[in-house]
Amino acid sequence: MASTVKDNTHEEREIQKKYWMVHSVDLSVESMMLDSKASDLDKEERPEVLSLLPPYEGKTVLEFGAGIGRFTGELVQKAGNVIALDFIESVIKKNEELNGHHKNVKFMCADVTSPNVNFDDESVDLIFSNWLLMYLSDKEVENLAERMVKWLKVGGYIFFRESCFHQSGDSKRKHNPTHYREPKFYTKIFKECHVSDGSGNSYELSLVGCKCIGAYICWTWQKVSSENDRGFQQFLDNVQYKLNGILRYERVFGEGFVSTGGLETTKDFVAKLDLKPGQKVLDVGCGIGGGDFYMANNFDVHVVGIDLSVNMISFALERAIGLKCSVEFEVTDCTKKTYPDCTFDVIYSRDTILHIHDKPALFRSFFKWLKPGGKVLISDYCKSSGTPLSEFAEYIKQRGYDLHDVKSYGQMLSDAGFVDVVAEDRTDQFLQVLERELAAVEKDKDAFIHDFSEEDYNAIVDGWKAKLIRSSSGEQRWGLFIAKKQ
């Protein structure tokens, strides 16, 4: 078996090398990007890719698939040292010709999959690659990921960008051995990568960011101790929003949705935003993207969907395949994310901010990120103004929620600087939606159990009945908040 894997690997390397020997004859940006419009594309995308990199000033950077150096020349400006590596000799020599005058760069002609390519453990701060992994076999990606983690310092980063779903670039190719994988392949490989050092310490990768730019996906991972508690993100992906759990919620809320009322409430709330073509919308807690696709398709706006759940964004990216609307998704923590002032026309969030404990700080960020005249629309779980009864208090604690009464929630928006704040108690609507969703699930019982399990069915039915009881008694409330930046 081992011999077969070795033979297949050798064959893969030969195929990829021949492919790139053909497509790197003229050593131009067009040939490297396999696109006749490469020069224009490069001017647009290179700054965007560089803007996603973690800080690397004065650090050691390992650049894989360096090509003729369109990123090498940028990296050397800030890095302490750069090691630029490519497996086509003429290509790396061109890179050296262009960037060799910098004293902090070293050039290597080598194949990253070769066991002869080795670096000291914990010697690199940032590993950067642009369009490399799609030229490796599945097993080669897995092996390289493990080796990269060993070379990386604790706290260091891996950044890579790949074309997913389909071919990028308009160059004609008689034979194309490139692997256009779904994003979840890369997420799974790197998320499950664990290594140990000689002292028995265990390390893994924490996903810092994952962003979709058209057919391109960028990932940023950080090496952390396996003992480190990644906390809330792990809770979301391993407890509340496991892959099966997301599909289960979607069955209730409707295709593309994991929030109350699905498309119906989305249409109702979005109608209040008066969206105009060309506007930019930030969706905080975008889930699997249904609301974003709806806004982009129907109002010709550009939507940036962010969510802390890796699983949610993975689904959203898959759902984006083949769609022509202007939507991008990113795994990120909204409490740590920064955007330039006055970036968005609208900030939209559905039943998400209940997870955020420092709402005033988040609302101040929203205020800065919005353009003058911009709007914020939020739906969220709330509570009555009194002290919650023990059962509801336990539910809030178990979920890690931070709930406020509707009036106090609206006041936090006013305190952040917003004007024309509307804080509506929509609990009656919430009850109607819950009853309708519960009835649909109960009617669909046999099919639901067939597609999921009886345990899944009971979890949904029991959960919806509990919400109906809490909301009918007045304990749990549902609020809609709309505000404006003057």
Side-chain angles (χ1 to χ4, degrees):
M1 182 67 181
S3 176
T4 303
V5 172
K6 187 175 180 181
D7 289 343
N8 289 343
T9 299
H10 177 73
E11 182 181 352
E12 172 86 22
R13 300 319 316 136
E14 287 301 309
I15 289 170
Q16 298 292 354
K17 192 160 189 176
K18 286 177 182 176
Y19 177 71
W20 275 107
M21 290 292 283
V22 170
H23 289 287
S24 58
V25 173
D26 65 357
L27 300 175
S28 65
V29 174
E30 285 72 20
S31 63
M32 292 295 99
M33 293 179 67
L34 299 170
D35 198 301
S36 62
K37 307 180 192 72
S39 294
D40 292 334
L41 289 171
D42 180 51
K43 288 175 187 174
E44 180 181 326
E45 69 172 25
R46 196 182 344 167
E48 183 165 16
V49 171
L50 290 166
S51 73
L52 299 175
L53 296 185
Y56 60 94
E57 288 81 358
K59 306 283 189 179
T60 298
V61 178
L62 185 53
E63 183 189 10
F64 287 148
I68 61 173
R70 66 193 187 100
F71 283 102
T72 309
E74 302 280 0
L75 296 171
V76 295
Q77 303 294 330
K78 294 182 181 179
N81 295 287
V82 175
I83 302 168
L85 183 148
D86 201 283
F87 75 149
I88 302 294
E89 187 175 7
S90 60
V91 167
I92 198 68
K93 282 190 172 180
K94 178 68 173 180
N95 192 338
E96 186 170 7
E97 179 185 318
L98 294 172
N99 296 300
H101 60 285
H102 295 285
K103 303 303 180 187
N104 60 336
V105 58
K106 177 183 176 183
F107 301 91
M108 291 179 61
C109 181
D111 190 320
V112 292
T113 66
S114 170
N116 297 324
V117 173
N118 216 347
F119 301 93
D120 293 337
D121 289 358
E122 300 188 15
S123 63
V124 180
D125 297 287
L126 169 64
I127 299 175
F128 172 92
S129 80
N130 180 58
W131 293 330
L132 168 73
L133 303 180
M134 58 190 189
Y135 301 114
L136 309 184
S137 69
D138 292 0
K139 190 64 180 175
E140 286 169 341
V141 173
E142 188 177 336
N143 291 340
L144 182 60
E146 187 173 311
R147 295 167 74 205
M148 286 197 289
V149 178
K150 289 181 178 179
W151 299 332
L152 207 60
K153 294 177 183 177
V154 180
Y157 296 89
I158 296 171
F159 174 94
F160 59 90
R161 177 175 74 150
E162 300 297 327
S163 288
C164 295
F165 313 128
H166 55 76
Q167 178 177 307
S168 56
D170 60 8
S171 295
K172 293 182 180 178
R173 294 158 236 191
K174 291 180 181 178
H175 171 62
N176 188 356
T178 312
H179 303 285
Y180 299 108
R181 302 176 172 104
E182 292 185 359
K184 65 183 178 183
F185 168 84
Y186 296 110
T187 301
K188 184 176 188 295
I189 291 291
F190 283 80
K191 193 177 181 183
E192 295 179 357
C193 188
H194 294 78
V195 300
S196 298
D197 63 16
S199 303
N201 299 308
S202 182
Y203 301 99
E204 60 185 286
L205 292 168
S206 172
L207 184 59
V208 176
C210 177
K211 184 170 184 179
C212 175
I213 307 171
Y216 313 134
I217 314 292
C218 301
W219 286 262
T220 306
W221 301 85
Q222 185 176 32
K223 180 176 177 178
V224 297
S225 168
S226 292
E227 285 71 47
N228 282 1
D229 179 15
R230 300 212 300 275
F232 188 44
Q233 187 177 73
Q234 289 185 327
F235 166 75
L236 290 177
D237 284 328
N238 298 329
V239 180
Q240 189 164 6
Y241 298 129
K242 292 190 291 187
L243 295 174
N244 183 67
I246 292 171
L247 292 173
R248 194 176 70 182
Y249 280 134
E250 186 183 28
R251 180 67 162 259
V252 178
F253 296 124
E255 186 177 350
F257 294 92
V258 287
S259 60
T260 303
L263 181 59
E264 179 190 314
T265 53
T266 297
K267 286 181 175 180
D268 177 16
F269 295 164
V270 169
K272 300 177 184 299
L273 293 172
D274 192 27
L275 294 174
K276 299 288 192 298
Q279 287 187 323
K280 194 165 185 179
V281 179
L282 176 66
D283 183 0
V284 177
C286 64
I288 57 177
D292 304 324
F293 299 134
Y294 172 77
M295 287 186 277
N297 273 319
N298 291 279
F299 300 93
D300 196 22
V301 293
H302 177 83
V303 187
V304 178
I306 64 173
D307 204 292
L308 185 60
S309 167
V310 178
N311 292 341
M312 289 285 198
I313 293 296
S314 294
F315 271 111
L317 292 170
E318 288 179 24
R319 304 295 168 84
I321 298 171
L323 298 180
K324 303 298 184 183
C325 56
S326 182
V327 177
E328 61 181 83
F329 296 105
E330 183 176 3
V331 174
T332 193
D333 184 339
C334 66
T335 66
K336 297 175 182 175
K337 182 70 177 179
T338 59
Y339 292 101
D341 291 358
C342 306
T343 296
F344 299 100
D345 298 282
V346 168
I347 296 179
Y348 176 87
S349 183
R350 296 294 310 279
D351 303 350
T352 293
I353 297 174
L354 73 171
H355 292 296
I356 309 300
H357 285 257
D358 192 353
K359 290 178 177 59
L362 181 64
F363 293 158
R364 288 193 296 271
S365 294
F366 284 1
F367 188 83
K368 289 193 297 182
W369 299 343
L370 275 174
K371 297 175 183 177
K375 291 181 181 178
V376 60
L377 184 148
I378 299 165
S379 73
D380 217 353
Y381 284 15
C382 294
K383 66 179 185 65
S384 61
S385 56
T387 303
L389 296 176
S390 58
E391 189 175 335
F392 188 39
E394 182 57 34
Y395 167 79
I396 294 170
K397 181 181 177 182
Q398 184 263 330
R399 290 298 183 108
Y401 291 164
D402 174 65
L403 303 187
H404 298 262
D405 63 81
V406 173
K407 184 178 178 181
S408 299
Y409 205 115
Q411 186 60 48
M412 286 188 284
L413 286 166
S414 296
D415 293 343
F418 288 99
V419 297
D420 300 337
V421 176
V422 176
E424 294 183 8
D425 188 322
R426 289 290 188 109
T427 308
D428 288 344
Q429 181 183 11
F430 188 60
L431 285 165
Q432 291 171 11
V433 171
L434 288 173
E435 288 170 352
R436 198 160 53 243
E437 290 169 345
L438 178 60
V441 171
E442 289 180 325
K443 185 178 180 181
D444 191 41
K445 179 178 179 179
D446 291 342
F448 195 104
I449 291 173
H450 176 270
D451 293 339
F452 296 95
S453 70
E454 189 165 358
E455 183 183 2
D456 287 313
Y457 174 81
N458 291 333
I460 290 292
V461 170
D462 293 346
W464 259 241
K465 286 181 176 178
K467 282 190 278 191
L468 279 166
I469 291 170
R470 291 193 300 265
S471 300
S472 297
S473 69
E475 277 278 282
Q476 183 170 334
R477 317 298 296 174
W478 195 46
L480 176 66
F481 309 92
I482 305 171
K484 183 178 178 183
K485 178 177 178 177
Q486 212 159 24

